[in-house]
Each structure stands twice: as C-alpha cells, then as structure tokens.
C-alpha cells in the first residue's frame, strides 16, 4: 500500500465500525469492489475508497457518524461548503490535505484525505417514469452546479443562458438543489425497490441500472488487512459495469485523482496560506 492508501484505509475502518455497530448496510462499489475481488485490497494505482449506503439510512449515518467517528475524522456534505461538486458525503481526515485540481480556486472546498459515501436508491421500473426520474436528477444536478460555481460555457449563447439561470438560482440557498436532489432519492427507498443504480451520478443512468437483489445483504470480502462489504452478486454487478473486470487496463487508463496531497498537515493550513503550486 502507498501512504495515501494506508491513510484512506484507516478512515474506512472507522466508517465500517460505525455502520456495523448501528446496523447500517453499505456496499463497496466501482473500483473499490474490483479491488476487493481482483487484488484483495486497493487497485494498486487507485487512491480512493467508494461505498454506497441505502438512501433510507443516509441521514441516520450522517447523524451517527458525527457523534461516533474519532475526533480527527469529520463528515463533509453539500450542506457545509458552497463550492462543493457533489451531492454525496465524504468522511475526511482533518489532519491531512487532499485537494483535487478542480478545487484549487476555492479555499472553502479544501479538505483532508477522504472516502466517498454515495446515496444508493431505488429507480422506477416503468420506462417513462424511469426516464422522468433521471431527467429530474440531471436537472437538479445541473442547477446545483450553476448555483455553486462561476458561469463557464463553451460559447457566447451558452454563457448568456447560463448567466440568466445563475441569477435566478441566487434567489435560493446554495444547498437548495442538493437538498432537493436527495429528497427525490428518498421517494424511492433502496430496500423496497426492484431496481437500483448509480443514483448519485445521473449521467451514468440508465446504463448502470441493476436488480436490487444483486446487492441484497452484501458479502464480506478481504480488503488489505480487513474486510469490506460488496454486493452479494458482485460478479454480475462488475460485469455489467466493467465487462471483463479481471483484465488489467492499459497504463494510460489507470487513472487517479489529480490534486495536491499532504499527509502531514491539515488542509486548514492551506486555507490560510494558500497552496505551494
């Protein structure tokens, strides 16, 4: 393991303790699940852990985590930061720094080394209702981004349109659309739905839609020196998303986060002094 992976793993272990002590289910997803299956730990070039928590447990996890996580770990949400690219939670290590390249301009977005906690929800079965659901998520995601960040567009017409929308969104709190996004997910509880998918990433739907039974109660798999909960039908899940997931990708597709990392100093140091870039 790299030093970054080791610190990330220590965060995961504390999150797993909170989930298991309070009956909160979770699932390793994406590259984290591949890592558990193919490498029995991190994908060697990977620098994150992603887990998904059912939407009906999502608020409970947040409340409990704030009380029970060690003092050096904190929950980061779309409620806490204006310039926040995500609708999901992160659990971060306050004594470290992990600033993604897209966040360099926004000091309020600086954070510690983290793991991602995604909200996984149900998806409507009926095709028209499913399409409408995905359109609503996509619209809320776009409006959330417009509300939180400066206007950026590829041509003058888009800049004018986006600027007008930006002025309108300023009438609402910065977390208005992220809250509406999660509220929409809560209408479709994971445990009572036939289908689920990457509900935190509307641009990846409907390609990544799965039967909920593939996740079920989850199955514990080796992950470095601990265990991690993966979808029960992890083989079907990984094949649907990645195809031949046991085949290593070419070197040019082995992606990591681009950013600034400091394992010895808190991100708060750089909020006050700036990045040494």
């Amino acid at each position: 393991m790299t030093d970054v992976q080791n610190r990330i793993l220590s965060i995961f272990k504390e999150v797993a303790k909170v989930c298991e002590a309070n009956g909160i289910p979770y699932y390793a997803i994406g590259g984290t699940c591949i890592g558990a299956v193919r490498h029995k730990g991190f994908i060697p070039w990977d620098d994150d852990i992603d887990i998904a928590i059912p939407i009906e447990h999502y608020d409970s996890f947040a409340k409990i985590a704030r009380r029970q996580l060690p003092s050096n770990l904190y929950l980061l949400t779309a409620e806490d930061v204006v310039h926040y690219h995500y609708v999901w939670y992160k659990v971060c290590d306050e004594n470290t720094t992990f600033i993604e390249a897209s966040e360099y301009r926004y000091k309020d977005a600086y954070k510690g080394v983290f793991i991602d906690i995604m909200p996984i929800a149900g998806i409507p079965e009926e095709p028209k209702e499913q399409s409408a659901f995905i359109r609503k998520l996509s619209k809320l995601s776009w409006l959330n981004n417009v509300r939180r960040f400066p206007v950026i567009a590829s041509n003058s017409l888009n800049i004018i349109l986006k600027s007008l929308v930006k002025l309108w969104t300023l009438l609402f709190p910065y977390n208005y659309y992220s809250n509406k996004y999660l509220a929409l997910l809560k209408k479709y509880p994971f445990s009572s739905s036939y289908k689920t998918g990457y509900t935190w990433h509307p641009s990846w739907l409907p390609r990544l839609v799965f039967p909920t039974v593939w996740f079920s109660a989850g199955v514990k798999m080796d992950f470095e020196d601990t265990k991690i909960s993966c979808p029960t039908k992890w083989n079907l899940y990984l094949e649907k998303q990645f195809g031949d997931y046991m085949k290593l990708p070419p070197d040019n597709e082995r992606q990591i986060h681009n950013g600034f990392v400091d394992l010895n100093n808190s991100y708060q140091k750089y909020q006050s002094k700036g990045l040494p870039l």
Side-chain angles (χ1 to χ4, degrees):
M1 276 191 296
T2 66
D3 291 341
V4 172
Q5 289 172 339
N6 190 55
R7 190 64 69 96
I8 291 170
L9 184 64
S10 69
I11 300 172
F12 164 71
K13 289 177 180 178
E14 297 298 336
V15 169
K17 284 180 188 176
V18 169
C19 290
E20 289 163 8
N22 295 279
I24 298 173
Y26 75 87
Y27 306 96
I29 53 170
T32 304
C33 188
I34 286 182
V37 173
R38 193 172 67 198
H39 304 278
K40 298 189 182 301
F42 286 97
I43 294 175
W45 56 89
D46 205 1
D47 61 355
D48 68 356
I49 284 179
D50 297 332
I51 66 172
I53 289 179
I55 190 64
E56 56 267 39
H57 295 277
Y58 209 57
D59 288 344
S60 295
F61 170 79
K63 293 175 183 176
I64 295 169
R66 286 192 172 105
R67 295 196 310 265
Q68 296 185 3
L69 286 173
S71 59
N72 67 301
L73 301 184
Y74 66 97
L75 189 75
L76 180 62
T77 79
E79 297 271 330
D80 305 315
V81 176
V82 174
H83 298 103
Y84 192 71
H85 285 282
Y86 318 100
V87 297
W88 60 82
Y89 303 156
K90 294 176 182 284
V91 174
C92 310
D93 184 340
E94 189 171 45
N95 297 327
T96 64
T97 300
F98 197 134
I99 304 167
E100 295 168 83
S102 61
E103 299 166 342
Y104 288 169
R105 296 173 56 192
Y106 312 110
K107 288 187 177 181
D108 65 326
Y110 292 6
K111 60 187 180 296
V113 169
F114 63 90
I115 72 168
D116 285 312
I117 316 290
M118 315 301 198
I120 189 167
I123 294 174
E125 294 179 53
E126 199 277 320
K128 287 185 178 179
E129 186 182 356
Q130 184 179 118
S131 295
F133 173 73
I134 294 170
R135 284 196 303 272
K136 288 178 185 177
L137 290 180
S138 298
K139 179 181 177 181
L140 290 170
S141 179
W142 185 77
L143 288 169
N144 180 53
N145 187 67
V146 171
R147 174 62 183 85
R148 291 173 182 268
F149 292 93
V151 171
I152 299 174
S154 58
N155 59 59
S156 58
L157 182 60
N158 282 340
I159 290 175
I160 293 170
L161 176 61
K162 205 169 182 181
S163 296
L164 291 173
V165 175
K166 176 76 172 181
L167 289 173
W168 181 70
T169 64
L170 291 175
L171 297 172
F172 303 95
Y174 69 85
N175 55 1
Y176 178 77
Y177 294 106
S178 54
N179 285 344
K180 286 183 72 70
Y181 190 106
L182 292 177
L184 177 57
L185 294 188
K186 290 172 187 175
K187 293 181 179 180
Y188 299 91
F190 173 82
S191 59
S192 58
S193 298
Y194 176 71
K195 290 184 177 180
T196 187
Y198 275 40
T199 47
W200 57 91
H201 240 315
S203 63
W204 292 8
L205 295 171
R207 182 176 67 87
L208 295 179
V209 173
F210 318 98
T212 308
V213 71
W214 286 6
F215 289 77
S216 190
V219 58
K220 289 292 183 69
M221 304 190 73
D222 291 334
F223 196 92
E224 303 297 345
D225 62 353
T226 188
K227 299 278 188 179
I228 197 166
S229 180
C230 294
T232 301
K233 302 292 186 181
W234 49 266
N235 185 43
L236 295 174
Y237 158 68
L238 290 176
E239 282 183 347
K240 176 73 181 291
Q241 183 171 356
F242 299 102
D244 184 5
Y245 59 87
M246 293 300 289
K247 182 180 178 181
L248 293 176
D251 289 347
N252 62 349
E253 294 181 13
R254 299 180 183 185
Q255 298 178 349
I256 62 172
H257 289 87
N258 291 317
F260 175 80
V261 180
D262 183 347
L263 298 181
N264 299 311
N265 292 284
S266 170
Y267 65 95
Q268 295 167 350
K269 168 185 173 181
Y270 300 102
Q271 285 179 322
S272 60
K273 296 184 177 181
L275 292 175
L277 300 176

